[in-house]
Amino acid sequence: MSHQMEQLNDNINRAPPTMAHPYTNLSPHGDEIDAVSSGFSDMDEPGKSALREGTESVASGSTGHNAHQHFPMFDRLDNWFGGRMDLEPALRRRHIMMISIGCTIGMGLVLSSSKILRLSGSTGLILSYAMMGIVVAAVMSCISEMVSLIPEPGALALFPTRFVDDSLGLAVGISYWFTNAMAVAALTTATTTLTTYWSRDVLDLDLGWRITIFLIVLILINVMGVRVYAEIEHFFGWLKIIMVLGLTIFSLAVSCGANNKHEYYGIRYWKDVYKMPPNFAGHDDLDGATGRFLSVWQSFTIAAFAYVGVETVALTSGEARYPKRDIPFAAKYVWVITIGLYVSSVIFVSLCVPWDNPKLLPLNASSKGETGAASPFLIALDEAGYTILPGLVNAGFLFAAWTAANTCLYIASRTLYGMCRGMEARDHPYLWPLGRTRKQNGAPVMAILVSCVFAPLAYLLCSSTDAQKLLDIFTNMGTIGCLMTWGSQCLAFLRFYFGLRHSIFDRTAPSYPYQSFGQPFTAIFGLVACTVLVFFNGWSVFYEKPFRADKLCAAYLWPVIFICIYTSHKLWSKSPIKPLDRLDYYSYLGAQEEPLPPNKGRIRNLIEFERPKPKVMNAESLSPTV
């Protein structure tokens, strides 16, 4: 036990200044600094002094100012877009839950379900969302346990750095930033496409102007600070949940006879020829069992796009008001709610729309052809004879896609900020401003603006079909990048799991914050599933004639880039894989105790997810009994 406590103190003393922020008690402008040693009462005085000096330099931003005192341009940038290094801790549990759920519910449910239903029928639709839900459950169980013990900002990029090596952390950070930065353009395009559901008589505005308005509003909301952003996402998050539940109920009602023909569908479209198409995407030479298997397999990759964003909860810890209490709670329940909403909605909509409906999207549909009228939910309502509801539902889909783009910009900016936070202007003159935030609201403005670098690709919607292929390629690359991020989290958890044997923590202790189920086999399953999906996601490229280079790039270009980033950084930095007995579990655990939020009544507590009591997390309560 004494050896473990010595290792704990060594890790604290060796912590870099950028890791010391959680130990401090900072005001919103970083002008009050008080080193807190709760949970580390046995730390020796030299360790406390070293920790206090590091936190003071980071919180005050002195390292950055001293480094760029001879660069007037950096001073002006700091006055315009910076002034502080910390984010504003303003997110409550209700915000964190709705940000994560709202980011997931978007075009993956609206239009991806149309492609899957056309490709693999009702059986493939249910199987793809259910099986990908199992993969997501495995990945999120790993993330949930790690973030429950270490709720640090930029967790998805920092977990591979902590538990594997620096090269993997860099590759994951760039990959995850690219995925969400590209999703801003893709979801803006989807939002604009949904507006084409109405005729020019209703909405007389060119596509270019619509895209411009959407992008400007996205940027303004993020620049105005996390408080404004969080309240908007909380409001629209509840609207999304109500919309999905309403569509599920309407689909069940239509199948039971609530249509203009008063016809009872029952499970008609789950039987006989309606279960699944006879071949793969119309290829007569790929029929029978082989064609059906390949159809379902291709649907898995499409369904993966629907779940992108469920891991967002791990990125909100940098701005959470009570990270040790709220992040573990949200991480454990967000993915359960998301999978439940997705699977239930596709089950009931498959009762109303067969796979051979001509309005459904084909597999190779371009972005311009993905209108709101192709959604199976709108098809079900339209063919049931409802005249007003389809327009209202399409408006709901429009705001769902737009708020998902809003959250993707938030995620991309916080990922970039987390990677650049603590950099000095002398060493990184071009990356240093990305780690600064505004004095007024703590928004990382420079990171937000840089994360919009791919947003102009949305204007390809106004051009020819060939130009739109570029956007489709980048969108598919982003989906593959997210799968690689998920796999990296499972790999990081495996080392986290086996490294716990050399730490002071005991997973079986009652005070351990969260013990995920079935470990380490759950993490192994998630790692293998993500790897197989990435490796075989573009199998159809080598079969279809003529050969399409754009589909090859969409399927395999980003894995090649990921490997190149990892390998080049590994050769340049020569960073070793971290030994299991030297993994860092302790550098975040010294955060001060968090007060309980006020009791607002049963109804409001339920709506804001405030009922569960927090668990105390400190070094003494988590240590095993000797």
Side-chain angles (χ1 to χ4, degrees):
M1 184 64 187
S2 59
H3 170 71
Q4 292 171 339
M5 291 306 298
E6 290 177 1
Q7 180 185 355
L8 172 61
N9 290 331
D10 290 341
N11 279 278
I12 297 302
N13 292 332
R14 288 186 291 104
T18 55
M19 297 300 298
H21 166 63
Y23 297 91
T24 60
N25 180 19
L26 301 179
S27 71
H29 300 286
D31 50 8
E32 178 188 355
I33 302 170
D34 181 19
V36 178
S37 58
S38 62
F40 295 100
S41 56
D42 296 334
M43 184 187 298
D44 53 358
E45 287 303 323
K48 293 181 182 179
S49 301
L51 182 60
R52 187 177 296 109
E53 292 175 2
T55 56
E56 289 177 356
S57 62
V58 170
S60 62
S62 60
T63 55
H65 286 290
N66 292 337
H68 68 78
Q69 59 184 350
H70 300 297
F71 299 92
M73 180 185 69
F74 294 149
D75 288 328
R76 288 194 291 269
L77 284 175
D78 199 25
N79 291 330
W80 295 339
F81 302 113
R84 55 193 278 190
M85 294 181 63
D86 57 312
L87 300 169
E88 183 177 9
L91 297 180
R92 299 288 292 269
R93 181 177 294 178
R94 61 187 179 94
H95 299 133
I96 298 170
M97 293 284 291
M98 287 306 161
I99 288 173
S100 304
I101 295 174
C103 179
T104 308
I105 300 177
M107 300 309 295
L109 180 63
V110 177
L111 293 179
S112 296
S113 59
S114 180
K115 286 186 178 182
I116 296 176
L117 184 57
R118 176 74 172 270
L119 177 64
S120 56
S122 57
T123 303
L125 179 67
I126 298 172
L127 275 178
S128 59
Y129 277 92
M131 293 302 295
M132 281 307 304
I134 295 175
V135 175
V136 169
V139 174
M140 285 303 299
S141 65
C142 299
I143 296 176
S144 300
E145 181 167 344
M146 289 190 294
V147 81
S148 296
L149 186 64
I150 311 172
E152 62 181 339
L156 294 182
L158 294 179
F159 285 156
T161 302
R162 276 180 179 267
F163 304 119
V164 186
D165 67 346
D166 297 337
S167 300
L168 183 62
L170 176 66
V172 169
I174 294 176
S175 177
Y176 196 61
W177 173 82
F178 173 81
T179 296
N180 289 278
M182 184 53 60
V184 174
L187 290 170
T188 302
T189 301
T191 305
T192 308
T193 304
L194 288 172
T195 62
T196 61
Y197 179 85
W198 298 283
S199 63
R200 297 281 298 194
D201 297 335
V202 178
L203 189 61
D204 188 11
L205 194 63
D206 292 335
L207 292 179
W209 283 109
R210 301 179 194 181
I211 294 172
T212 303
I213 293 173
F214 288 140
L215 289 178
I216 290 176
V217 175
L218 288 182
I219 295 173
L220 287 178
I221 290 176
N222 279 269
V223 169
M224 290 171 66
V226 69
R227 293 181 184 273
V228 176
Y229 162 80
E231 293 299 338
I232 291 175
E233 287 299 318
H234 179 256
F235 174 75
F236 282 107
W238 277 111
L239 288 185
K240 288 181 180 183
I241 293 177
I242 294 172
M243 179 184 67
V244 173
L245 292 176
L247 289 174
T248 303
I249 296 172
F250 267 106
S251 299
L252 178 61
V254 169
S255 67
C256 293
N259 50 71
N260 53 0
K261 298 179 181 178
H262 301 287
E263 185 177 1
Y264 177 77
Y265 297 154
I267 58 172
R268 176 191 307 174
Y269 299 134
W270 285 6
K271 300 186 298 184
D272 303 328
V273 297
Y274 293 111
K275 289 192 300 184
M276 193 173 291
N279 50 44
F280 172 77
H283 295 283
D284 295 333
D285 52 341
L286 282 179
D287 56 359
T290 303
R292 294 187 180 96
F293 170 77
L294 294 176
S295 297
V296 175
W297 181 260
Q298 189 70 36
S299 300
F300 286 165
T301 306
I302 302 175
F305 175 72
Y307 287 105
V308 171
V310 70
E311 72 288 341
T312 305
V313 60
L315 286 170
T316 59
S317 57
E319 292 169 292
R321 181 66 181 88
Y322 309 101
K324 293 191 296 183
R325 179 183 65 96
D326 293 342
I327 298 300
F329 177 88
K332 288 183 287 186
Y333 293 106
V334 162
W335 61 271
V336 177
I337 297 173
T338 303
I339 294 173
L341 289 174
Y342 269 25
V343 174
S344 61
S345 61
V346 298
I347 286 176
F348 289 112
V349 79
S350 65
L351 296 172
C352 308
V353 182
W355 64 264
D356 58 352
N357 191 297
K359 296 180 182 179
L360 293 173
L361 287 173
L363 177 61
N364 296 320
S366 64
S367 301
K368 200 166 187 176
E370 297 180 351
T371 63
S375 172
F377 299 97
L378 290 184
I379 293 173
L381 294 176
D382 187 52
E383 296 191 350
Y386 297 98
T387 56
I388 300 178
L389 278 179
L392 294 176
V393 173
N394 188 75
F397 287 161
L398 188 152
F399 283 106
W402 176 79
T403 54
N406 192 25
T407 299
C408 285
L409 180 56
Y410 168 84
I411 298 171
S413 63
R414 270 50 178 186
T415 302
L416 190 60
Y417 163 82
M419 295 174 64
C420 300
R421 181 177 180 271
M423 289 184 176
E424 297 183 3
R426 185 180 301 279
D427 299 330
H428 305 88
Y430 299 105
L431 298 178
W432 163 81
L434 301 177
R436 306 287 291 180
T437 60
R438 294 187 66 198
K439 287 184 178 180
Q440 291 80 359
N441 52 26
V445 179
M446 288 300 297
I448 292 172
L449 297 179
V450 173
S451 297
C452 295
V453 64
F454 299 113
L457 291 176
Y459 290 99
L460 293 176
L461 184 66
C462 309
S463 61
S464 62
T465 304
D466 293 336
Q468 295 165 30
K469 291 181 180 179
L470 180 63
L471 179 60
D472 295 335
I473 291 173
F474 282 129
T475 303
N476 293 332
M477 288 172 58
T479 303
I480 303 304
C482 188
L483 285 173
M484 299 184 72
T485 301
W486 290 353
S488 301
Q489 302 307 309
C490 294
L491 176 61
F493 178 83
L494 287 173
R495 293 185 53 81
F496 166 90
Y497 175 86
F498 291 109
L500 281 174
R501 301 174 182 177
H502 305 280
S503 70
I504 65 172
F505 304 117
D506 182 9
R507 292 184 78 243
T508 61
S511 56
Y512 191 77
Y514 174 63
Q515 181 179 356
S516 55
F517 56 90
Q519 298 295 356
F521 303 104
T522 302
I524 295 173
F525 167 76
L527 176 60
V528 172
C530 292
T531 303
V532 172
L533 284 170
V534 170
F535 191 78
F536 290 105
N537 83 92
W539 68 267
S540 60
V541 175
F542 305 100
Y543 171 79
E544 293 179 340
K545 305 296 182 182
F547 179 79
R548 294 182 57 181
D550 59 328
K551 295 189 68 175
L552 178 65
C553 292
Y556 295 111
L557 181 58
W558 191 252
V560 173
I561 295 175
F562 186 94
I563 294 173
C564 290
I565 294 173
Y566 176 84
T567 305
S568 59
H569 184 269
K570 193 78 172 176
L571 295 175
W572 175 74
S573 64
K574 296 180 173 57
S575 59
I577 296 178
K578 299 180 179 178
L580 291 178
D581 58 349
R582 301 293 294 173
L583 297 181
D584 179 17
Y585 297 88
Y586 316 110
S587 59
Y588 194 82
L589 294 179
Q592 61 180 339
E593 295 300 326
E594 299 167 356
L596 286 172
N599 187 359
K600 301 178 181 179
R602 291 185 177 181
I603 301 298
R604 190 167 178 182
N605 286 343
L606 179 63
I607 293 176
E608 298 186 357
F609 306 100
E610 296 284 1
R611 293 184 65 186
K613 295 181 179 180
K615 291 183 178 180
V616 177
M617 289 175 52
N618 53 49
E620 294 180 357
S621 64
L622 293 174
S623 60
T625 304
V626 180

